[in-house]
Amino acid sequence: MLRDGRSMLILLGMPVVLLLLFGYAVTTEVKNVRVAVLDMSHDGLTQKACERIAANPYMILTECATDMRRIEDVLRRGGADVAVVFGSGFAADIVHEGGAEVQVLVDGTEPNQAVMRLQYVSQTLASMGTELASGGTGRGATGIVPVTRMLYNPQQKSEYNFVPGVVGMILMLVCVLMGSVAIVREKETGTMELLLASPLSPACIVLSKLVPYFAVSVFNVATVLLLSRYVLGVPVAGSLWALLGVTLLYILVALTLGLFVSNIVRTQLAAMVVSVLFIIPTVYLSGLAFPIESMPGVLQYISAAVPARWYIDAARRLMIQGVDARFVAQDVAVMLVMEIVLLAVALKTFKIRI
C-alpha cells in the first residue's frame, strides 16, 4: 500500500475532502443574495430602503437601474437574483394612503433558492414597513406590501432546475470515464506499441480514440433532451442550436479531461477510480444542488475550475430563461479556454514510449 502513492492519497485524502465539502459547500442557508433596485420615486424613503438592503449581511446590492429594460437585462445575464422596483408614487402612497406596493421580481430558475431569497427581501421590506407604521415617517403608515412575480419558472417545478445539472453530471461521468479507459486499455493490452509504431502521429492516434465516445455522448444528449422535454415536460425556451453548441463544447472538455487522466494512470482500475472522483466536484461545486453564492470564498474560486459549473449555468439560461446566445458568452469562453489548456497539457504529457 505504501508503494502505491496514488491509492494512499485517495484513501487518506478523500475523507478530509468530503468532510470539508459537507461542512462548507453543502448548505441550505442562503447567503449573498444579489439584489437589483429600480427606483422611480427618488425620495428619502426609497433611499432608506436601498441602504437597508445594502446593509443586510445576507444581501448584496449589485445594481441601481434606471429603467425596467436594464432590470430585465441584469436578471437574464445573472447579475442579480432578485429585483426590487419602487413605483414613482411610493413616498406619496406611504404618506397619504398609509401603505405602498413594491414589485419584487425573482429569478425562479432554482425554485427552492428563489423562495428563500424572496423571503429574505420581503422580510427586509416588511421590517422597514413596520418602522413606518410605528410612527417613523409617513403618518399612520401600515407598511410595505411586496407584489411578487416568479420569473422563468412560475410553477416552481424542481425538474426545471435539476435537468440541466443532471445532463452535465452524466456527460462528465461518461466522457471522463470512457475517454480515460480507452487509452489505458491500449497500454495494458500492449496494442499501444503497435499504434505508436504506425505512420500516424501520436496526436492523431489519441484523438481518433476519442471520436467514438464523442458520438456516443451526442446520442446520450439527444436521448436526455428528448426525455426531459416529452416525459418531464422541461422546455427549451431558448435557442436549441445554441444549447447543442454549448453541449458539444462541454463534451469535448470532458473527453479531453479523460485523456489527461489516462496520462497520469497506468491501469484501467485506477482510471475508473480517478474518473469517478470527478463526480464529487461536479455535484457539490457546480451549482447543481447547492448555490455557489452561499459557499466560502475559497470554494467559490475552486468551483471556477469545475467545467460543469459553466455548462450548467449556460444550460439553465438557455433552457429555462430562454436567453439569447450572447448571455452565455462568458460560460462558452471559459469552457473554450479549458478545452485549449487541457488539450495542450494532455498532448504534451502523452508518452510516446511505453
Side-chain angles (χ1 to χ4, degrees):
M1 290 178 63
L2 294 177
R3 293 191 186 100
D4 191 355
R6 294 186 181 93
S7 297
M8 289 299 297
L9 180 61
I10 295 173
L11 291 173
L12 299 179
M14 188 53 58
V16 177
V17 172
L18 289 176
L19 180 62
L20 293 176
L21 286 178
F22 274 94
Y24 293 102
V26 181
T27 175
T28 57
E29 184 181 7
V30 175
K31 300 178 182 178
N32 301 325
V33 180
R34 298 168 299 173
V35 182
V37 174
L38 173 57
D39 183 7
M40 295 185 290
S41 183
H42 302 291
D43 54 64
L45 293 181
T46 56
Q47 181 64 31
K48 184 178 180 181
C50 292
E51 294 175 355
R52 180 70 61 85
I53 292 174
N56 193 301
Y58 291 95
M59 300 181 192
I60 301 175
L61 185 60
T62 59
E63 186 83 19
C64 292
T66 56
D67 54 43
M68 196 64 191
R69 182 176 299 178
R70 177 61 181 173
I71 288 290
E72 295 174 354
D73 183 76
V74 170
L75 289 171
R76 285 184 176 273
R77 64 179 173 82
D81 305 307
V82 182
V84 179
V85 180
F86 295 99
S88 56
F90 177 79
D93 292 340
I94 288 288
V95 173
H96 299 295
E97 299 182 11
E101 293 183 346
V102 176
Q103 187 178 27
V104 181
L105 306 176
V106 186
D107 183 353
T109 307
E110 304 176 49
N112 296 331
Q113 299 297 322
V115 172
M116 298 183 69
R117 289 163 180 163
L118 175 60
Q119 290 177 353
Y120 279 26
V121 175
S122 298
Q123 289 174 0
T124 301
L125 295 175
S127 64
M128 180 179 175
T130 302
E131 292 181 3
L132 295 176
S134 64
T137 305
R139 301 175 297 274
T142 58
I144 299 174
V145 180
V147 179
T148 63
R149 180 184 174 190
M150 198 72 68
L151 301 178
Y152 315 125
N153 185 11
Q155 298 86 3
Q156 300 183 32
K157 294 183 177 180
S158 59
E159 54 266 30
Y160 281 30
N161 175 39
F162 282 106
V163 166
V166 171
V167 173
M169 183 179 65
I170 291 174
L171 291 177
M172 177 59 64
L173 176 61
V174 172
C175 294
V176 174
L177 179 61
M178 294 297 100
S180 60
V181 171
I183 305 298
V184 176
R185 185 188 300 119
E186 299 286 352
K187 297 179 181 179
E188 281 192 326
T189 58
T191 54
M192 182 58 75
E193 298 180 11
L194 298 176
L195 292 175
L196 293 176
S198 67
L200 297 175
S201 64
C204 182
I205 294 172
V206 172
L207 295 178
S208 64
K209 292 291 294 182
L210 301 181
V211 170
Y213 299 105
F214 181 83
V216 172
S217 300
V218 171
F219 179 80
N220 285 335
V221 169
T223 302
V224 171
L225 290 180
L226 289 174
L227 288 175
S228 64
R229 177 65 182 91
Y230 295 104
V231 177
L232 299 178
V234 179
V236 180
S239 171
L240 177 60
W241 294 109
L243 177 62
L244 292 177
V246 172
T247 305
L248 293 180
L249 176 59
Y250 178 66
I251 291 174
L252 288 176
V253 173
L255 286 174
T256 309
L257 189 58
L259 174 60
F260 174 73
V261 171
S262 69
N263 291 336
I264 62 176
V265 298
R266 297 180 180 179
T267 63
Q268 296 184 60
L269 179 60
M272 294 176 64
V273 172
V274 174
S275 300
V276 171
L277 292 180
F278 282 100
I279 295 299
I280 296 175
T282 301
V283 173
Y284 296 113
L285 298 179
S286 65
L288 167 62
F290 308 100
I292 296 176
E293 295 81 9
S294 300
M295 299 178 186
V298 175
L299 290 182
Q300 292 187 32
Y301 286 115
I302 295 176
S303 68
V306 179
R309 169 185 173 176
W310 306 101
Y311 172 75
I312 292 174
D313 181 71
R316 282 175 176 166
R317 295 187 189 284
L318 292 170
M319 294 181 66
I320 311 305
Q321 296 184 0
V323 300
D324 297 332
R326 60 188 177 91
F327 288 96
V328 298
Q330 180 182 2
D331 302 315
V332 173
V334 172
M335 287 192 292
L336 187 60
V337 171
M338 286 182 175
E339 169 62 18
I340 295 174
V341 173
L342 285 173
L343 185 59
V345 173
L347 294 178
K348 183 69 175 179
T349 57
F350 180 74
K351 297 179 178 60
I352 60 175
R353 294 179 180 179
I354 304 300

